Amino acid sequence: MFRTLTALSFASLVLGQQVGTNTAEKHPAMPISVCTAAGSCKTESTAVTLDANWRWTHVTTGYTNCFGGDGWNATACPDGKSCAANCAVDGADYGKTYGVSTPSSGSLRLQFVTKNDNGKNVGSRLYLMASETKYRLFNLLNKEFTLDVDVSKLPCGLNGAVYFSEMDEDGGLKRFPSNKAGAKYGTGYCDSQCPGDIKFINGEANVDGWKDGAGKFGACCAEMDIWEANSDATAYTPHPCKVAEQTRCEGTDCGNGDERYAGLCDKDGCDFNSFRMGNQDFYGNGMTVDTTKPITIVTQFITNDGTDAGTLSAINRFYVQGGKVIPNSLTVFEGIDPVNHISDNYCKQQKTVFGDNNYFGTLGGLATMGKSLTKMVLVLSVWDDYAVSMNWLDSKFPREADATKPGVARGRCEPTAGEPATVEAAHPDAYVVYSNIKFGAINSTFAAGN
Protein backbone atom coordinates (compact mmCIF):
# COMPACT_ATOMS: atom_id res chain seq x y z
CA MET A 1 0.00 0.00 0.00
CA PHE A 2 2.18 2.92 1.20
CA ARG A 3 5.38 1.10 0.30
CA THR A 4 8.69 2.94 0.67
CA LEU A 5 11.68 0.65 0.97
CA THR A 6 14.77 2.15 2.54
CA ALA A 7 16.79 -0.94 1.93
CA LEU A 8 20.39 -0.06 2.27
CA SER A 9 21.88 0.32 5.71
CA PHE A 10 25.46 0.24 4.49
CA ALA A 11 26.91 2.19 1.64
CA SER A 12 28.35 -0.63 -0.44
CA LEU A 13 25.06 -2.27 -1.42
CA VAL A 14 23.67 -0.35 -4.36
CA LEU A 15 22.17 -0.94 -7.78
CA GLY A 16 23.91 -0.88 -11.16
CA GLN A 17 23.35 -2.04 -14.74
CA GLN A 18 26.58 -3.66 -15.97
CA VAL A 19 27.56 -7.05 -14.56
CA GLY A 20 30.38 -7.43 -12.06
CA THR A 21 32.49 -10.54 -11.51
CA ASN A 22 33.58 -10.27 -7.88
CA THR A 23 30.82 -12.52 -6.53
CA ALA A 24 29.26 -15.34 -8.52
CA GLU A 25 25.48 -15.17 -8.69
CA LYS A 26 23.78 -18.38 -7.55
CA HIS A 27 20.01 -18.22 -7.24
CA PRO A 28 18.57 -20.05 -4.20
CA ALA A 29 16.19 -22.81 -5.29
CA MET A 30 12.52 -22.17 -4.48
CA PRO A 31 10.40 -24.84 -6.22
CA ILE A 32 6.64 -24.34 -6.47
CA SER A 33 3.71 -26.63 -7.33
CA VAL A 34 1.41 -26.13 -10.31
CA CYS A 35 -2.00 -27.80 -10.01
CA THR A 36 -4.62 -28.65 -12.61
CA ALA A 37 -7.07 -30.26 -10.18
CA ALA A 38 -7.27 -31.21 -6.52
CA GLY A 39 -4.52 -33.75 -5.82
CA SER A 40 -3.01 -33.24 -9.27
CA CYS A 41 0.04 -31.03 -8.79
CA LYS A 42 3.48 -31.06 -10.36
CA THR A 43 6.67 -29.50 -9.06
CA GLU A 44 8.19 -26.67 -11.05
CA SER A 45 11.92 -25.99 -10.62
CA THR A 46 11.94 -22.30 -9.84
CA ALA A 47 14.41 -20.14 -7.87
CA VAL A 48 14.66 -16.62 -6.45
CA THR A 49 16.89 -13.65 -7.17
CA LEU A 50 17.66 -10.61 -5.04
CA ASP A 51 16.44 -7.19 -6.13
CA ALA A 52 19.24 -5.15 -7.70
CA ASN A 53 18.60 -2.26 -5.28
CA TRP A 54 20.20 -4.34 -2.52
CA ARG A 55 23.29 -5.41 -4.46
CA TRP A 56 26.80 -4.03 -4.38
CA THR A 57 27.49 -1.76 -7.35
CA HIS A 58 30.95 -0.54 -8.14
CA VAL A 59 32.82 1.01 -11.04
CA THR A 60 33.46 -1.54 -13.75
CA THR A 61 37.22 -1.07 -13.51
CA GLY A 62 37.56 -1.71 -9.79
CA TYR A 63 35.90 -1.72 -6.39
CA THR A 64 34.93 1.93 -5.89
CA ASN A 65 31.27 2.37 -4.97
CA CYS A 66 28.99 4.08 -7.45
CA PHE A 67 26.71 5.16 -4.62
CA GLY A 68 27.46 5.77 -0.96
CA GLY A 69 25.88 7.08 2.17
CA ASP A 70 26.42 10.65 0.97
CA GLY A 71 24.90 10.06 -2.47
CA TRP A 72 26.09 9.26 -5.97
CA ASN A 73 29.74 9.04 -6.96
CA ALA A 74 30.02 12.25 -8.98
CA THR A 75 32.91 10.94 -11.07
CA ALA A 76 31.26 7.67 -12.09
CA CYS A 77 27.75 9.09 -12.20
CA PRO A 78 27.63 12.62 -13.60
CA ASP A 79 24.36 11.68 -15.31
CA GLY A 80 22.08 8.68 -15.64
CA LYS A 81 23.41 7.25 -18.90
CA SER A 82 27.06 7.60 -17.94
CA CYS A 83 26.40 5.97 -14.58
CA ALA A 84 24.79 2.95 -16.23
CA ALA A 85 27.83 2.55 -18.46
CA ASN A 86 30.36 3.04 -15.67
CA CYS A 87 28.79 0.89 -12.94
CA ALA A 88 28.48 -2.87 -12.50
CA VAL A 89 26.07 -4.79 -10.28
CA ASP A 90 27.52 -7.89 -8.66
CA GLY A 91 26.33 -11.26 -7.47
CA ALA A 92 24.97 -11.75 -3.96
CA ASP A 93 26.05 -13.75 -0.93
CA TYR A 94 22.44 -14.46 0.04
CA GLY A 95 22.91 -15.90 3.51
CA LYS A 96 25.92 -14.08 4.91
CA THR A 97 25.13 -10.61 3.61
CA TYR A 98 21.34 -10.51 3.32
CA GLY A 99 19.96 -13.10 5.74
CA VAL A 100 18.18 -15.02 2.98
CA SER A 101 18.06 -18.80 3.41
CA THR A 102 16.13 -21.87 2.27
CA PRO A 103 15.55 -24.02 5.39
CA SER A 104 13.95 -26.78 3.30
CA SER A 105 12.83 -27.41 -0.26
CA GLY A 106 10.23 -24.84 -1.27
CA SER A 107 10.86 -22.72 1.83
CA LEU A 108 12.32 -19.21 2.01
CA ARG A 109 13.36 -17.48 5.25
CA LEU A 110 13.98 -13.72 5.22
CA GLN A 111 15.81 -12.19 8.18
CA PHE A 112 14.90 -8.59 9.01
CA VAL A 113 18.33 -7.33 10.12
CA THR A 114 21.54 -9.15 9.20
CA LYS A 115 24.95 -8.12 10.53
CA ASN A 116 27.69 -8.65 7.97
CA ASP A 117 31.19 -7.55 6.98
CA ASN A 118 29.88 -4.20 5.72
CA GLY A 119 27.81 -3.39 8.80
CA LYS A 120 24.24 -4.56 8.47
CA ASN A 121 21.50 -5.18 5.93
CA VAL A 122 17.87 -4.31 6.60
CA GLY A 123 15.08 -6.19 4.81
CA SER A 124 15.11 -7.81 1.40
CA ARG A 125 13.08 -8.19 -1.76
CA LEU A 126 13.29 -11.20 -4.06
CA TYR A 127 11.66 -12.37 -7.28
CA LEU A 128 10.68 -15.84 -8.46
CA MET A 129 12.69 -17.01 -11.47
CA ALA A 130 11.63 -19.40 -14.23
CA SER A 131 15.21 -19.67 -15.48
CA GLU A 132 18.61 -18.10 -14.91
CA THR A 133 17.65 -15.04 -16.95
CA LYS A 134 13.84 -14.71 -16.79
CA TYR A 135 11.29 -14.09 -14.09
CA ARG A 136 8.45 -16.57 -13.70
CA LEU A 137 5.34 -14.95 -15.20
CA PHE A 138 1.88 -15.72 -13.79
CA ASN A 139 -1.57 -15.40 -15.37
CA LEU A 140 -3.79 -15.22 -12.30
CA LEU A 141 -7.20 -14.92 -13.97
CA ASN A 142 -9.52 -17.82 -13.08
CA LYS A 143 -6.73 -19.24 -10.90
CA GLU A 144 -5.78 -19.44 -7.25
CA PHE A 145 -2.49 -18.78 -5.51
CA THR A 146 -1.66 -20.48 -2.22
CA LEU A 147 1.30 -20.32 0.14
CA ASP A 148 2.20 -21.05 3.75
CA VAL A 149 3.42 -18.18 5.91
CA ASP A 150 4.96 -18.05 9.38
CA VAL A 151 4.63 -14.51 10.78
CA SER A 152 5.05 -15.51 14.43
CA LYS A 153 8.35 -13.60 14.61
CA LEU A 154 7.14 -10.46 12.80
CA PRO A 155 6.10 -7.80 15.35
CA CYS A 156 4.29 -4.49 14.88
CA GLY A 157 5.84 -2.19 12.31
CA LEU A 158 7.17 -4.93 10.02
CA ASN A 159 5.66 -6.21 6.80
CA GLY A 160 6.23 -9.66 5.39
CA ALA A 161 4.85 -8.91 1.93
CA VAL A 162 4.08 -11.32 -0.91
CA TYR A 163 2.69 -9.66 -4.01
CA PHE A 164 2.69 -9.54 -7.79
CA SER A 165 4.08 -6.68 -9.91
CA GLU A 166 3.71 -6.16 -13.66
CA MET A 167 7.45 -6.27 -14.34
CA ASP A 168 9.15 -7.23 -17.59
CA GLU A 169 9.94 -10.94 -17.83
CA ASP A 170 13.60 -10.20 -18.59
CA GLY A 171 13.91 -7.33 -16.11
CA GLY A 172 13.96 -4.74 -18.91
CA LEU A 173 16.89 -6.26 -20.77
CA LYS A 174 15.26 -6.10 -24.22
CA ARG A 175 13.41 -2.80 -23.87
CA PHE A 176 16.39 -0.94 -22.41
CA PRO A 177 19.69 -1.98 -24.05
CA SER A 178 21.77 -0.06 -21.50
CA ASN A 179 20.57 -2.57 -18.90
CA LYS A 180 23.07 -5.43 -19.19
CA ALA A 181 22.18 -7.14 -15.90
CA GLY A 182 18.51 -8.04 -16.44
CA ALA A 183 16.32 -10.36 -14.41
CA LYS A 184 19.27 -12.52 -13.35
CA TYR A 185 20.41 -9.65 -11.14
CA GLY A 186 16.96 -8.47 -10.07
CA THR A 187 16.49 -5.39 -12.26
CA GLY A 188 13.28 -3.77 -13.52
CA TYR A 189 11.31 -3.42 -10.30
CA CYS A 190 8.11 -1.36 -10.26
CA ASP A 191 4.95 -1.15 -8.20
CA SER A 192 1.84 0.97 -7.73
CA GLN A 193 3.61 3.44 -5.44
CA CYS A 194 5.82 4.51 -8.38
CA PRO A 195 8.81 4.36 -6.02
CA GLY A 196 11.50 6.98 -6.51
CA ASP A 197 14.12 5.12 -4.48
CA ILE A 198 14.86 2.75 -7.37
CA LYS A 199 18.39 3.71 -8.31
CA PHE A 200 18.29 2.57 -11.94
CA ILE A 201 15.12 2.83 -14.04
CA ASN A 202 14.88 2.07 -17.76
CA GLY A 203 18.56 1.20 -17.76
CA GLU A 204 19.66 4.62 -16.51
CA ALA A 205 20.67 5.84 -13.06
CA ASN A 206 18.06 7.87 -11.19
CA VAL A 207 20.69 10.57 -10.54
CA ASP A 208 18.73 13.71 -11.41
CA GLY A 209 17.17 15.38 -8.40
CA TRP A 210 18.35 12.69 -5.98
CA LYS A 211 17.56 13.85 -2.46
CA ASP A 212 16.59 12.11 0.78
CA GLY A 213 16.84 8.68 -0.81
CA ALA A 214 14.85 9.30 -3.98
CA GLY A 215 15.38 10.69 -7.45
CA LYS A 216 13.43 12.59 -10.07
CA PHE A 217 11.90 9.46 -11.60
CA GLY A 218 9.69 6.68 -10.29
CA ALA A 219 8.95 3.15 -11.49
CA CYS A 220 5.22 2.49 -11.96
CA CYS A 221 3.21 -0.64 -12.65
CA ALA A 222 0.13 -2.48 -11.45
CA GLU A 223 0.48 -4.43 -8.21
CA MET A 224 -1.56 -7.17 -6.55
CA ASP A 225 -0.81 -7.47 -2.85
CA ILE A 226 -1.53 -11.06 -1.90
CA TRP A 227 -0.23 -10.84 1.64
CA GLU A 228 0.95 -7.78 3.56
CA ALA A 229 1.19 -8.79 7.20
CA ASN A 230 2.84 -9.13 10.55
CA SER A 231 1.65 -11.01 13.60
CA ASP A 232 -0.98 -8.36 14.39
CA ALA A 233 -2.59 -7.33 11.09
CA THR A 234 -2.95 -8.35 7.47
CA ALA A 235 -4.41 -6.99 4.24
CA TYR A 236 -4.75 -8.01 0.61
CA THR A 237 -5.09 -5.27 -1.98
CA PRO A 238 -5.34 -4.82 -5.77
CA HIS A 239 -3.72 -1.65 -7.19
CA PRO A 240 -4.57 -0.94 -10.87
CA CYS A 241 -2.67 1.53 -13.06
CA LYS A 242 -3.23 3.47 -16.27
CA VAL A 243 -0.16 1.79 -17.77
CA ALA A 244 0.19 -1.86 -18.79
CA GLU A 245 3.91 -2.40 -18.17
CA GLN A 246 6.79 -1.07 -16.09
CA THR A 247 6.80 2.67 -16.82
CA ARG A 248 9.15 5.42 -15.72
CA CYS A 249 7.28 8.43 -14.33
CA GLU A 250 8.15 11.99 -13.45
CA GLY A 251 6.16 14.92 -12.10
CA THR A 252 2.39 14.50 -11.81
CA ASP A 253 2.47 10.98 -13.26
CA CYS A 254 4.28 9.76 -10.14
CA GLY A 255 1.34 10.82 -7.97
CA ASN A 256 3.39 12.21 -5.11
CA GLY A 257 2.04 14.44 -2.36
CA ASP A 258 -1.04 16.43 -3.31
CA GLU A 259 -1.05 14.75 -6.74
CA ARG A 260 -1.72 11.30 -5.25
CA TYR A 261 -4.97 10.94 -7.18
CA ALA A 262 -3.62 12.24 -10.48
CA GLY A 263 -0.80 9.73 -10.98
CA LEU A 264 -0.46 6.68 -13.19
CA CYS A 265 -1.36 4.24 -10.41
CA ASP A 266 -3.84 3.76 -7.59
CA LYS A 267 -1.56 4.00 -4.57
CA ASP A 268 -4.34 3.34 -2.05
CA GLY A 269 -5.77 0.32 -3.79
CA CYS A 270 -8.88 -1.43 -2.50
CA ASP A 271 -7.79 -3.25 0.64
CA PHE A 272 -9.42 -5.93 2.73
CA ASN A 273 -8.02 -5.79 6.27
CA SER A 274 -10.25 -7.73 8.67
CA PHE A 275 -9.48 -5.41 11.60
CA ARG A 276 -10.18 -2.32 9.50
CA MET A 277 -13.40 -3.88 8.21
CA GLY A 278 -14.73 -4.29 11.75
CA ASN A 279 -13.77 -7.78 12.89
CA GLN A 280 -11.04 -7.12 15.46
CA ASP A 281 -10.88 -10.67 16.81
CA PHE A 282 -10.31 -12.54 13.54
CA TYR A 283 -6.53 -12.32 12.99
CA GLY A 284 -3.76 -12.26 15.59
CA ASN A 285 -2.21 -14.07 18.53
CA GLY A 286 -4.60 -16.85 19.59
CA MET A 287 -7.45 -15.59 17.38
CA THR A 288 -9.52 -17.31 14.69
CA VAL A 289 -6.49 -17.13 12.40
CA ASP A 290 -3.74 -17.69 14.97
CA THR A 291 -0.51 -15.93 14.05
CA THR A 292 1.55 -17.91 16.55
CA LYS A 293 1.32 -20.83 14.10
CA PRO A 294 1.96 -21.24 10.37
CA ILE A 295 -0.95 -20.20 8.15
CA THR A 296 -1.96 -21.31 4.67
CA ILE A 297 -3.30 -18.38 2.61
CA VAL A 298 -5.49 -18.99 -0.44
CA THR A 299 -6.34 -16.20 -2.89
CA GLN A 300 -8.74 -16.83 -5.76
CA PHE A 301 -9.15 -14.60 -8.82
CA ILE A 302 -12.72 -15.09 -10.06
CA THR A 303 -13.75 -14.08 -13.58
CA ASN A 304 -17.25 -13.17 -14.73
CA ASP A 305 -17.54 -16.19 -17.04
CA GLY A 306 -15.34 -18.71 -15.24
CA THR A 307 -12.67 -18.69 -17.94
CA ASP A 308 -9.07 -17.54 -18.14
CA ALA A 309 -10.13 -14.92 -20.72
CA GLY A 310 -12.94 -13.46 -18.61
CA THR A 311 -13.12 -10.18 -16.73
CA LEU A 312 -11.94 -10.14 -13.12
CA SER A 313 -15.05 -9.84 -10.94
CA ALA A 314 -13.97 -10.86 -7.43
CA ILE A 315 -10.93 -11.74 -5.35
CA ASN A 316 -11.65 -14.35 -2.68
CA ARG A 317 -9.63 -15.18 0.42
CA PHE A 318 -9.47 -18.35 2.53
CA TYR A 319 -7.16 -19.43 5.33
CA VAL A 320 -6.25 -22.98 6.28
CA GLN A 321 -4.90 -23.78 9.73
CA GLY A 322 -4.89 -26.95 11.80
CA GLY A 323 -6.55 -28.85 8.96
CA LYS A 324 -9.52 -26.46 8.95
CA VAL A 325 -10.57 -24.13 6.15
CA ILE A 326 -11.39 -20.67 7.52
CA PRO A 327 -13.36 -18.31 5.26
CA ASN A 328 -12.32 -14.68 5.35
CA SER A 329 -14.12 -12.49 7.90
CA LEU A 330 -17.26 -10.54 6.97
CA THR A 331 -17.49 -6.77 6.93
CA VAL A 332 -19.61 -5.28 9.71
CA PHE A 333 -20.04 -1.58 8.87
CA GLU A 334 -23.39 -0.06 8.04
CA GLY A 335 -23.37 0.94 4.40
CA ILE A 336 -21.11 -1.94 3.37
CA ASP A 337 -22.68 -5.26 2.43
CA PRO A 338 -21.60 -8.12 4.77
CA VAL A 339 -19.15 -9.73 2.35
CA ASN A 340 -15.74 -11.39 2.77
CA HIS A 341 -14.25 -10.76 -0.67
CA ILE A 342 -13.15 -7.86 -2.86
CA SER A 343 -15.44 -6.73 -5.69
CA ASP A 344 -16.09 -3.39 -7.38
CA ASN A 345 -19.24 -2.95 -5.29
CA TYR A 346 -17.34 -3.67 -2.07
CA CYS A 347 -14.68 -1.14 -3.05
CA LYS A 348 -17.22 1.56 -3.89
CA GLN A 349 -19.08 1.05 -0.61
CA GLN A 350 -15.88 0.92 1.45
CA LYS A 351 -14.52 4.13 -0.07
CA THR A 352 -17.84 5.90 0.50
CA VAL A 353 -18.25 4.84 4.14
CA PHE A 354 -14.60 5.55 5.00
CA GLY A 355 -14.58 8.87 3.15
CA ASP A 356 -11.72 7.77 0.88
CA ASN A 357 -11.06 8.79 -2.72
CA ASN A 358 -12.18 5.96 -5.01
CA TYR A 359 -9.25 6.28 -7.42
CA PHE A 360 -9.51 2.50 -7.70
CA GLY A 361 -12.85 2.94 -9.46
CA THR A 362 -11.61 5.91 -11.48
CA LEU A 363 -8.87 3.73 -13.00
CA GLY A 364 -11.33 0.98 -13.90
CA GLY A 365 -11.39 -1.17 -10.77
CA LEU A 366 -11.14 -4.93 -11.08
CA ALA A 367 -11.51 -4.96 -14.87
CA THR A 368 -8.34 -2.89 -15.25
CA MET A 369 -6.59 -4.90 -12.56
CA GLY A 370 -7.50 -8.12 -14.33
CA LYS A 371 -5.77 -7.07 -17.54
CA SER A 372 -2.52 -6.73 -15.62
CA LEU A 373 -2.97 -10.06 -13.83
CA THR A 374 -2.20 -11.93 -17.04
CA LYS A 375 1.55 -11.25 -16.79
CA MET A 376 2.77 -10.78 -13.24
CA VAL A 377 6.05 -11.41 -11.42
CA LEU A 378 6.00 -12.80 -7.88
CA VAL A 379 7.71 -10.71 -5.18
CA LEU A 380 8.65 -11.98 -1.70
CA SER A 381 9.92 -9.46 0.84
CA VAL A 382 10.27 -8.18 4.38
CA TRP A 383 10.55 -4.46 5.15
CA ASP A 384 9.97 -1.58 7.55
CA ASP A 385 8.40 1.71 6.63
CA TYR A 386 10.37 4.97 6.64
CA ALA A 387 7.36 6.96 5.38
CA VAL A 388 4.55 6.27 7.87
CA SER A 389 5.90 3.53 10.19
CA MET A 390 3.52 0.88 8.77
CA ASN A 391 0.59 2.61 10.49
CA TRP A 392 -1.57 2.06 7.37
CA LEU A 393 -1.32 -1.70 8.01
CA ASP A 394 -1.36 -2.32 11.76
CA SER A 395 -2.19 0.85 13.71
CA LYS A 396 -4.36 3.90 13.10
CA PHE A 397 -3.94 5.90 9.94
CA PRO A 398 -3.66 8.80 9.56
CA ARG A 399 -1.89 8.86 12.91
CA GLU A 400 -3.63 12.05 14.05
CA ALA A 401 -7.11 10.77 13.08
CA ASP A 402 -9.84 9.60 15.46
CA ALA A 403 -9.48 5.82 15.78
CA THR A 404 -13.25 5.47 16.35
CA LYS A 405 -13.95 6.81 12.87
CA PRO A 406 -14.71 4.00 10.36
CA GLY A 407 -11.64 2.91 8.44
CA VAL A 408 -9.02 4.61 10.62
CA ALA A 409 -8.09 1.69 12.91
CA ARG A 410 -6.21 -1.05 11.03
CA GLY A 411 -4.68 -2.99 13.94
CA ARG A 412 -3.79 -2.95 17.64
CA CYS A 413 -0.23 -1.64 17.28
CA GLU A 414 0.89 1.64 18.79
CA PRO A 415 1.59 4.24 16.08
CA THR A 416 5.19 4.66 17.26
CA ALA A 417 5.96 0.92 17.34
CA GLY A 418 6.81 0.82 13.65
CA GLU A 419 9.23 3.73 13.56
CA PRO A 420 12.30 2.27 11.81
CA ALA A 421 14.80 3.32 14.47
CA THR A 422 12.62 1.64 17.09
CA VAL A 423 11.81 -1.58 15.29
CA GLU A 424 15.34 -2.10 13.91
CA ALA A 425 16.84 -1.71 17.38
CA ALA A 426 14.21 -3.72 19.24
CA HIS A 427 13.60 -6.57 16.77
CA PRO A 428 16.70 -7.22 14.61
CA ASP A 429 16.09 -10.97 14.92
CA ALA A 430 12.61 -10.77 13.40
CA TYR A 431 12.02 -12.93 10.33
CA VAL A 432 9.34 -14.41 8.09
CA VAL A 433 9.15 -17.80 6.38
CA TYR A 434 7.31 -18.41 3.08
CA SER A 435 6.83 -21.97 1.87
CA ASN A 436 4.75 -24.48 -0.07
CA ILE A 437 3.70 -22.17 -2.91
CA LYS A 438 0.96 -23.64 -5.11
CA PHE A 439 -0.70 -22.19 -8.18
CA GLY A 440 -3.44 -23.50 -10.41
CA ALA A 441 -7.11 -24.05 -11.09
CA ILE A 442 -9.73 -22.83 -8.63
CA ASN A 443 -10.00 -25.23 -5.63
CA SER A 444 -7.00 -27.24 -6.79
CA THR A 445 -4.40 -26.12 -4.23
CA PHE A 446 -6.23 -26.77 -0.95
CA ALA A 447 -8.97 -29.00 0.47
CA ALA A 448 -11.90 -26.65 -0.06
CA GLY A 449 -14.45 -29.00 1.46
CA ASN A 450 -12.95 -29.15 4.96
Side-chain angles (χ1 to χ4, degrees), residues 309-391:
T311 301
L312 182 67
S313 59
I315 306 175
N316 296 342
R317 166 55 52 85
F318 295 93
Y319 301 91
V320 184
Q321 195 170 52
K324 178 182 178 182
V325 176
I326 306 170
N328 194 26
S329 60
L330 295 169
T331 60
V332 296
F333 284 108
E334 183 177 352
I336 304 176
D337 295 340
V339 298
N340 63 359
H341 62 270
I342 292 174
S343 67
D344 284 332
N345 188 58
Y346 159 82
C347 296
K348 181 180 180 180
Q349 291 180 341
Q350 185 218 53
K351 302 288 186 181
T352 299
V353 171
F354 291 172
D356 294 337
N357 186 313
N358 190 14
Y359 202 49
F360 179 82
T362 300
L363 295 191
L366 289 184
T368 299
M369 188 74 235
K371 294 176 182 178
S372 294
L373 293 184
T374 60
K375 45 183 173 61
M376 298 295 256
V377 173
L378 180 63
V379 185
L380 304 111
S381 67
V382 64
W383 59 286
D384 57 349
D385 184 357
Y386 275 72
V388 291
S389 304
M390 216 69 72
N391 292 167

Side-chain angles (χ1 to χ4, degrees), residues 156-157 230-235 271 273-281 283-284 287 390-397 403 407-415 417:
C156 292
N230 53 43
S231 58
D232 185 80
T234 186
D271 67 304
N273 173 329
S274 292
F275 193 101
R276 189 182 189 214
M277 300 314 300
N279 190 329
Q280 300 185 359
D281 300 316
Y283 177 91
M287 298 187 180
M390 216 69 72
N391 292 167
W392 59 268
L393 176 66
D394 61 19
S395 186
K396 65 172 185 172
F397 187 81
V408 172
R410 292 109 187 285
R412 290 167 287 273
C413 298
E414 290 294 325

